Amino acid sequence: MANNTYILNTRNLIGESSSCLCKLHLPHTDNILLTRDSFLDYRKIRSTLRDLEFQKWCGLPQKGKGVILFSEHSPANRWVTNHKGLSCSEWRDALKTIGNVPAVRAIPGRTMNDNRCRHCHNEIETLPHVLGSCPYGETLRNARHHKIRSTIAQALRKNNFTVYEEVHGISECGSNRRVDILAFKDNQRGFIIDPTVRFECSSSQPEAVHEEKCAIYQPTVPYYLTKYKLQSITVIGLLVGARGTITKRFTQFVKDFNLHPSLSQHVCLIAIKYSVYLLRNHIYSTTSDYKQVQVLSYSCSL
């Protein structure tokens, strides 16, 4: 509100501001929109409108699926406005995946036949199916997981951890298991770290993934304790979103292990790049999976 007697005497600014806030569906008496001098703060208005729109987006049944996870670590979303590390085409396709609007057959009008997957013909061709379960993209999906696992393992090694990848183990029931990362220092406390890339679906997904990994690998703890002569082992399940979301559990892992903060951004870009090429390979099939892995591994190492 202008603190000028001439303007206040010539225009009804209070009425105009109330009318504008009403059209924006904001309460004109809300103190959170005011400065210390009781004037309207445009920064607070923009922030409130942004939060309201984000809540509406999260409430959409299809286009808002899993979007809530983008709010858990907002610094990882800087690629949306500054696509450093992504080509223009990769950035454009990544934005499409955020809105869940790529040209898959589940979207009405994308096919004249049916909405079944064009390759496996078993499930409806949705974006989660393409990025997470279709057998046609299995090679690229495995490469995405291995690249993220190796990146995390390398960060742990730089922090003086002894790290083993793809470690074979035996559970208490006698079945064979293979952990992604086994890390420890000075043969004291060890950690089984299992990063998993999945399509985002809900805010409870990171905790569910952690509990799932604990149930799988906790029975192998006695085997690794004996083999590596450790005092204790903790299982950590880490969710990485297929669309580049970084969760609070992942950022807490980075802090607890004193890893470089840039690890979150690096892992985010790796997930985005591989998911984009998974989508392109599924829709266009211009090259073989093996060649895509070679090209993408080179680009992610730059």
Side-chain angles (χ1 to χ4, degrees):
M1 194 67 65
N3 189 16
N4 187 305
T5 56
Y6 295 102
I7 295 178
L8 293 175
N9 289 329
T10 56
R11 299 189 63 172
N12 184 13
L13 290 182
I14 297 178
E16 290 181 12
S17 63
S18 299
S19 176
C20 292
L21 291 176
C22 183
K23 291 181 180 180
L24 293 172
H25 303 288
L26 294 176
H28 61 276
T29 58
D30 199 337
N31 292 329
I32 64 173
L33 302 179
L34 303 178
T35 64
R36 295 180 179 179
D37 300 326
S38 299
F39 297 141
L40 286 173
D41 191 333
Y42 72 91
R43 295 184 183 88
K44 294 181 179 180
I45 293 176
R46 286 181 177 178
S47 177
T48 302
L49 289 172
R50 185 167 54 245
D51 293 341
L52 290 175
E53 288 302 318
F54 183 73
Q55 293 173 9
K56 292 180 182 178
W57 186 16
C58 294
L60 297 176
Q62 190 231 354
K63 295 182 180 180
K65 186 176 182 180
V67 172
I68 187 65
L69 290 179
F70 282 97
S71 64
E72 293 211 355
H73 184 60
S74 55
N77 305 330
R78 67 184 64 175
W79 64 268
V80 174
T81 55
N82 178 15
H83 57 89
K84 183 178 180 181
L86 298 172
S87 67
C88 290
S89 61
E90 290 171 346
W91 178 63
R92 182 179 62 249
D93 289 342
L95 290 177
K96 292 179 181 179
T97 63
I98 289 181
N100 203 359
V101 293
V104 294
R105 289 187 171 184
I107 297 180
R110 292 296 182 180
T111 177
M112 297 296 293
N113 301 318
D114 56 22
N115 57 7
R116 292 289 172 180
C117 177
R118 69 192 73 189
H119 296 295
C120 69
H121 308 289
N122 294 327
E123 299 183 22
I124 296 176
E125 190 181 273
T126 61
L127 185 59
H129 171 71
V130 173
L131 299 183
S133 62
C134 182
Y136 189 76
E138 183 177 3
T139 304
L140 283 170
R141 256 194 324 276
N142 290 338
R144 178 180 62 184
H145 170 267
H146 297 339
K147 182 65 177 180
I148 290 176
R149 182 205 66 213
S150 299
T151 301
I152 296 174
Q154 187 62 27
L156 290 168
R157 291 189 182 100
K158 289 182 180 180
N159 203 20
N160 299 321
F161 276 89
T162 300
V163 180
Y164 297 100
E165 300 179 55
E166 291 289 337
V167 186
H168 173 266
I170 301 175
S171 68
E172 294 176 319
C173 64
S175 62
N176 292 304
R177 305 288 168 84
R178 191 178 295 275
V179 300
D180 282 343
I181 299 173
L182 178 64
F184 55 87
K185 278 185 178 181
D186 303 324
N187 292 85
Q188 298 294 319
R189 185 182 180 189
F191 300 92
I192 293 176
I193 304 167
D194 194 281
T196 301
V197 186
R198 293 186 183 175
F199 190 88
E200 304 88 341
C201 63
S202 67
S203 58
S204 61
Q205 192 178 11
E207 186 63 30
V209 167
H210 172 68
E211 294 177 355
E212 175 188 325
K213 299 303 179 182
C214 288
I216 294 174
Y217 296 115
Q218 198 65 40
T220 65
V221 167
Y223 174 85
Y224 292 115
L225 287 174
T226 303
K227 182 176 180 180
Y228 294 96
K229 298 179 176 57
L230 300 173
Q231 294 183 0
S232 64
I233 291 180
T234 302
V235 180
I236 302 175
L238 296 176
L239 171 69
V240 178
R243 294 178 290 179
T245 55
I246 299 298
T247 65
K248 292 179 180 178
R249 180 174 287 277
F250 191 96
T251 56
Q252 189 61 45
F253 161 77
V254 173
K255 292 179 182 179
D256 292 343
F257 285 76
N258 197 26
L259 304 178
H260 199 281
S262 63
L263 176 65
S264 298
Q265 183 70 14
H266 192 193
V267 169
C268 168
L269 290 178
I270 291 173
I272 292 172
K273 278 179 173 289
Y274 274 89
S275 293
V276 166
Y277 279 90
L278 261 166
L279 178 65
R280 291 178 178 177
N281 183 67
H282 187 93
I283 295 177
Y284 305 115
S285 300
T286 54
T287 59
S288 66
D289 279 356
Y290 179 72
K291 187 174 181 181
Q292 289 280 17
V293 171
Q294 286 183 315
V295 172
L296 196 53
S297 297
Y298 173 75
S299 62
C300 286
S301 63
L302 296 178

